[in-house]
Amino acid sequence: MKMSHVGIMVSDMDQAIEFYTQALGLEVVMGKSEVLEERKTAIGRMCIAVFGEGFDSFNIAHLVTSDGIGVELFEMKHRQPRHEVDFNRIGIFHFSLETKDFEGVIEKTLKYGGKQRMEVMRYHPEDDSKPAKMVYLEDPFGNLFELYSHSYAETYASEYE
């Protein structure tokens, strides 16, 4: 099984495209386009099946990470201004990215309207041969993402304390 893509709700598509390309380095595959609630096209019927009757319309953009994972950005016509994370609810609460430019991505996240949710942490601070770092960040819309300095496999190849 391979990861294909993740869908993220945003409240301002133009700002989202700027953040995800400039701060996180994703590439636009298909820019901002509008999808209407209608039954004439396959995309219209699929969106009614997914979002239900009454969504009216939304903007969508398709981006891709450097390793080919897709990121779909959704800006619904009727939406909340910001995502509020509720850790008591079941469901996906974050996604994670890996970068060699760890500090640079944190700086760009802040520059383009995101937030740093915690101090940078090392999984093995007692062992300099295991320098894996992580931090939780937010995009400008309140969506959480975790940033890794090393691959998932490298990070969890040994137990942490």
Side-chain angles (χ1 to χ4, degrees), residues 17-137:
I17 291 171
E18 179 182 52
F19 178 82
Y20 280 90
T21 59
Q22 300 303 308
L24 303 184
L26 277 65
E27 179 183 332
V28 175
V29 174
M30 185 179 91
K32 176 179 168 180
S33 60
E34 186 178 35
V35 176
L36 301 173
E37 181 179 354
E38 49 80 20
R39 296 186 179 278
K40 294 178 184 172
T41 65
I43 190 75
R45 291 188 301 275
M46 184 214 25
C47 289
I48 291 170
V50 172
F51 299 115
E53 300 279 346
F55 72 83
D56 192 15
S57 68
F58 62 88
N59 289 317
I60 189 169
H62 298 271
L63 288 70
V64 67
T65 64
S66 62
D67 62 343
I69 304 301
V71 174
E72 291 178 336
L73 300 175
F74 292 85
E75 176 192 39
M76 305 304 286
K77 183 174 183 177
H78 307 288
R79 62 189 175 273
Q80 296 177 329
R82 188 165 171 76
H83 174 70
E84 297 298 327
V85 178
D86 182 348
F87 295 109
N88 293 313
R89 295 186 62 181
I90 300 297
I92 297 170
F93 76 92
H94 78 278
F95 62 94
S96 184
L97 299 169
E98 173 193 331
T99 183
K100 299 289 184 211
D101 184 21
F102 191 80
E103 284 76 18
V105 170
I106 295 170
E107 288 175 19
K108 288 184 265 185
T109 294
L110 301 175
K111 177 181 176 182
Y112 286 96
K115 293 182 182 176
Q116 185 172 341
R117 299 262 313 205
M118 61 179 287
E119 291 182 31
V120 171
M121 302 289 289
R122 285 198 39 216
Y123 284 95
H124 303 280
E126 75 292 343
D127 187 347
D128 289 338
S129 71
K130 298 176 184 175
K133 296 183 283 190
M134 62 78 65
V135 65
Y136 271 87
L137 304 166

